[in-house]
């Protein structure tokens, strides 16, 4: 499954909505497989000594590869940290750019030549530790982030910030004079103002030059600005302060805030509710790209880049970065990493429904007062100009395309519409049929034969669907298979003779799935 989009009306490739020639030829980043990325890193290590000489670095400097990337035109970018006489150099990181023709250039954190008169400290480590009231010994480094490089001690002070956030304060002390050169907090909860989510906390990273939308607490999830280009990763959002966006779509950071926040909330939901660390369960974060294409009215997940991509909607005024939409995209990655539901026919509808179900679940878990949780997908996007949501879980047919109930032949529908019965099943299982109000939203969910269905609660409905997805569904699971998978999941969780198993069976019957 290369790419999965949010709606059926638009293709997943943003280039379809970008004027030809809008992207600089060869300037787009190439999507590398893990193997290709690993090979580039091996090359970075292999040529490190050669590059150091080409850059006229001091013979005592060693380049240590950190990352590598490649552009469509063959240009490669090798990112390195540096050591000097075997000491880490703070502010010594650089990126070496090599064209396909072999021409070299570099981008450095600090241009000053690395070098210190001596690597023997005057101020001992014990004195520094005592002055900072820490039992953790400092490490000897070369400080080269500003001014003339100097020998220094780097101490890490672990504590708790006033609001309960863990603190990891780094203090850099001159190893000759004992004076403080620099200090920073490595654990940051930035503040952003999104278009849909309001003012929210963000996981960001402090650098020597400012801040980045890099959530190291959640697998290094990063958010990039594509600047309305159709391809490539774009530029990582950076800021001199840890304040992002304005709440208005005219500020490019605003969409980044919503996407970054959505990724964080999805990570937290999977970890808090299902004990899963990251989409693949491997602790590795994906990344997000916003402002894709021009007037691109879609959002999609791609397994190839392990990333989410968001267009800005009609007139570039409605970025598709609402919380449940952001979660929807990330959950496609979860489905790919587990059941691998093929994106066609009934399995494709179940794939889409899984993203709608857990997109809704993430929204309820986040409980954002600005974007009040509801069983309505994309309720703020207004892509059709009528002020209506993309999809309704309580009565899917309200969108004019999705059926409320299963029927023979549903596999022929677009997967965004064949998801209807599964979305309806989840709502009924969680909340039950008939009129009710949840979080100020009114619902009146029907059933195929008018039977009354009593919900078991959203939390248990989520647990059942998650276990069914990760344990019993396969790439070709259809609606009958989904019924069997959820019944088995309910039996596992609540017992084979439990009322919950009966409720699951009754709810499937309410959407016309009986075997």
């Amino acid at each position: 499954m290369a790419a999965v989009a949010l709606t059926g009306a638009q293709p997943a490739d943003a280039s379809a909505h970008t004027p030809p020639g809008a992207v600089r030829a060869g300037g787009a980043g190439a999507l590398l497989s893990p193997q290709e990325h690993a090979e580039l890193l091996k090359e970075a290590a292999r040529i490190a000594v050669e590059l150091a000489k080409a850059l006229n670095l001091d013979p005592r400097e060693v380049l240590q590869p950190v990352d590598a990337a490649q552009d469509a035109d063959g240009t490669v970018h090798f990112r390195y940290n540096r050591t000097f006489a075997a000491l880490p150099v703070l502010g010594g990181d650089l990126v070496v750019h090599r064209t396909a023709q072999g021409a070299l250039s570099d981008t450095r954190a600090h241009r000053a030549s690395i070098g210190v008169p001596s690597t023997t400290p005057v101020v001992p480590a014990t004195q520094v530790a005592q002055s900072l009231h820490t039992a953790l010994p400092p490490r000897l480094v070369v400080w080269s982030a500003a001014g003339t490089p100097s020998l220094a001690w780097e101490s890490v002070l672990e504590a708790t910030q006033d609001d309960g956030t863990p603190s990891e304060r780094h203090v850099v002390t001159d190893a000759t004079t004992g004076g403080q050169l620099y200090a920073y907090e490595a654990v940051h909860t930035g503040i952003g103002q999104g278009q849909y989510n309001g003012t929210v906390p963000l996981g960001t990273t402090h650098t020597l030059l400012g801040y980045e939308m890099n959530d190291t607490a959640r697998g290094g999830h990063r958010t990039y600005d594509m600047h309305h280009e159709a391809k490539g990763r774009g530029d990582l959002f950076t800021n001199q302060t840890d304040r992002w966006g304005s709440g208005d779509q005219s500020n490019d950071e605003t969409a980044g805030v919503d996407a970054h926040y959505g990724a964080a909330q999805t990570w937290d939901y999977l970890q808090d509710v299902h004990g899963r660390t990251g989409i693949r369960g491997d602790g590795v974060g994906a990344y997000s790209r916003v402002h894709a294409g021009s007037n691109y009215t879609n959002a999609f997940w791609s397994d190839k880049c392990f990333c989410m991509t968001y267009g800005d909607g009609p007139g570039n005024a409605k970025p598709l970065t609402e919380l449940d939409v952001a979660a929807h995209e990330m959950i496609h990655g979860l489905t790919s990493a587990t059941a691998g539901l093929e994106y066609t026919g009934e399995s494709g509808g179940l794939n889409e429904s899984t993203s709608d179900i857990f997109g809704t679940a993430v929204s309820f878990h986040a409980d954002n007062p600005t974007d009040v949780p509801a069983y309505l997908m994309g309720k703020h996007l207004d892509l059709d100009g009528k002020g209506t949501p993309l999809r309704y879980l309580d009565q899917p047919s309200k969108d004019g395309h999705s059926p409320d109930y299963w029927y023979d032949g549903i596999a022929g529908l677009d997967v965004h519409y064949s998801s209807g019965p599964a979305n309806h099943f989840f709502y009924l299982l969680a909340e039950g049929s008939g009129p009710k109000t949840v979080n100020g939203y009114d619902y009146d969910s029907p059933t195929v034969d008018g039977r009354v269905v009593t919900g078991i609660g959203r939390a248990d409905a989520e647990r059942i669907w998650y276990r069914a997805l990760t344990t019993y569904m396969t790439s070709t699971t259809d609606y009958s298979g989904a019924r069997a998978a959820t019944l088995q999941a309910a039996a596992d969780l609540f017992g084979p003779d439990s009322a919950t198993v009966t409720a699951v069976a009754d709810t499937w019957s309410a959407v016309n799935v009986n075997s």
Side-chain angles (χ1 to χ4, degrees):
M1 182 172 61
V4 180
L6 176 70
T7 69
Q10 302 289 342
D13 186 357
S15 62
H17 297 270
T18 303
V23 181
R24 175 176 63 85
L31 297 177
L32 301 176
S33 68
Q35 294 76 18
E36 291 168 332
H37 182 259
E39 287 301 317
L40 270 185
L41 278 176
K42 289 180 182 178
E43 182 181 3
R46 187 170 59 250
I47 65 175
V49 173
E50 175 186 342
L51 287 179
K53 291 179 180 178
L55 296 174
N56 296 316
L57 301 184
D58 189 293
R60 291 169 290 180
E61 295 180 50
V62 174
L63 295 177
Q64 299 178 323
V66 175
D67 199 5
Q70 182 171 325
D71 292 341
D73 64 359
T75 299
V76 292
H77 311 277
F78 299 119
R79 184 177 295 276
Y80 296 94
N81 285 333
R82 276 188 279 182
T83 62
F84 178 86
L87 298 177
V89 179
L90 303 185
D93 53 298
L94 56 85
V95 182
V96 178
H97 316 282
R98 188 187 67 193
T99 68
Q101 293 73 38
L104 296 177
S105 60
D106 66 270
T107 302
R108 306 188 190 190
H110 190 49
R111 301 300 305 187
S113 298
I114 307 299
V116 292
S118 172
T119 57
T120 301
V122 175
V123 178
T126 53
Q127 179 178 325
V128 173
Q130 289 173 359
S131 67
L132 296 173
H133 307 288
T134 177
L136 298 175
R139 68 168 181 165
L140 197 61
V141 300
V142 174
W143 170 251
S144 182
T148 303
S150 58
L151 190 68
W153 291 106
E154 181 190 29
S155 305
V156 181
L157 311 179
E158 297 182 348
T160 303
Q161 299 182 44
D162 291 342
D163 63 355
T165 302
S167 173
E168 187 180 299
R169 183 172 174 79
H170 290 239
V171 178
V172 181
T173 304
D174 192 303
T176 301
T177 68
Q180 181 173 302
L181 294 171
Y182 194 69
Y184 69 94
E185 174 60 55
V187 179
H188 280 270
T189 304
I191 296 295
Q193 191 170 0
Q195 183 171 348
Y196 306 113
N197 297 304
T199 301
V200 292
L202 297 179
T204 59
T205 297
H206 183 266
T207 71
L208 297 173
L209 300 178
Y211 298 86
E212 299 176 342
M213 277 196 190
N214 177 7
D215 195 344
T216 56
R218 298 178 178 87
H221 183 97
R222 294 170 170 84
T223 300
Y224 295 82
D225 184 355
M226 292 181 69
H227 305 290
H228 298 293
E229 294 186 350
K231 297 181 179 179
R233 183 172 295 191
D235 297 319
L236 181 65
F237 278 102
T238 60
N239 202 336
Q240 291 185 342
T241 69
D242 209 10
R243 297 294 184 269
W244 307 82
S246 66
D248 190 278
Q249 58 86 21
S250 62
N251 183 317
D252 285 348
E253 289 180 355
T254 297
V257 167
D258 283 330
H260 203 65
Y261 172 77
Q265 293 304 310
T266 304
W267 180 286
D268 290 351
Y269 168 77
L270 290 174
Q271 190 167 63
D272 295 347
V273 178
H274 303 295
R276 188 181 189 88
T277 305
I279 291 172
R280 294 183 301 221
D282 59 1
V284 177
Y287 67 87
S288 299
R289 304 182 296 182
V290 300
H291 303 307
S294 182
N295 299 311
Y296 179 49
T297 309
N298 214 335
F300 65 88
W301 165 269
S302 171
D303 285 333
K304 189 173 183 180
C305 66
F306 196 58
C307 70
M308 291 81 66
T309 303
Y310 305 91
D312 282 342
N316 292 325
K318 287 283 187 178
L320 279 79
T321 51
E322 188 175 342
L323 176 56
D324 54 0
V325 174
H328 173 108
E329 300 311 329
M330 293 189 75
I331 296 301
H332 279 305
L334 170 69
T335 299
S336 178
T338 55
L341 291 162
E342 292 180 356
Y343 205 56
T344 186
E346 292 192 16
S347 61
L350 291 169
N351 189 316
E352 271 297 312
S353 179
T354 296
S355 282
D356 283 352
I357 287 168
F358 287 122
T360 299
V362 169
S363 179
F364 275 96
H365 183 260
D367 198 22
N368 186 311
T370 301
D371 183 8
V372 178
Y375 291 95
L376 308 170
M377 285 297 301
K379 60 184 179 295
H380 296 306
L381 296 183
D382 191 23
L383 298 184
D384 61 4
K386 298 178 182 178
T388 56
L390 291 177
R391 285 186 286 280
Y392 304 77
L393 274 68
D394 65 311
Q395 190 174 349
S397 60
K398 286 182 179 179
D399 68 8
H401 302 283
S402 302
D404 293 329
Y405 315 114
W406 180 88
Y407 64 93
D408 188 13
I410 195 173
L413 294 179
D414 181 283
V415 294
H416 299 88
Y417 306 140
S418 61
S419 62
N423 282 350
H424 195 189
F425 163 82
F426 176 77
Y427 173 84
L428 287 170
L429 186 64
E431 301 291 348
S433 60
K436 58 182 53 63
T437 301
V438 180
N439 284 351
Y441 288 91
D442 295 327
Y443 306 98
D444 191 358
S445 189
T447 59
V448 69
D449 56 1
R451 74 177 63 194
V452 175
V453 172
T454 301
I456 65 171
R458 188 181 57 257
D460 286 344
E462 291 171 16
R463 291 175 62 201
I464 289 170
W465 195 271
Y466 180 83
R467 180 161 180 80
L469 175 76
T470 58
T471 308
Y472 298 113
M473 292 187 187
T474 66
S475 61
T476 59
T477 294
D478 57 11
Y479 271 96
S480 177
R483 180 182 184 277
T486 52
L487 284 170
Q488 185 61 60
D492 292 349
L493 294 169
F494 302 100
D497 299 320
S498 65
T500 303
V501 170
T502 300
V504 170
D506 288 344
T507 304
W508 276 120
S509 294
V511 296
N512 203 36
V513 179
N514 296 297
S515 61

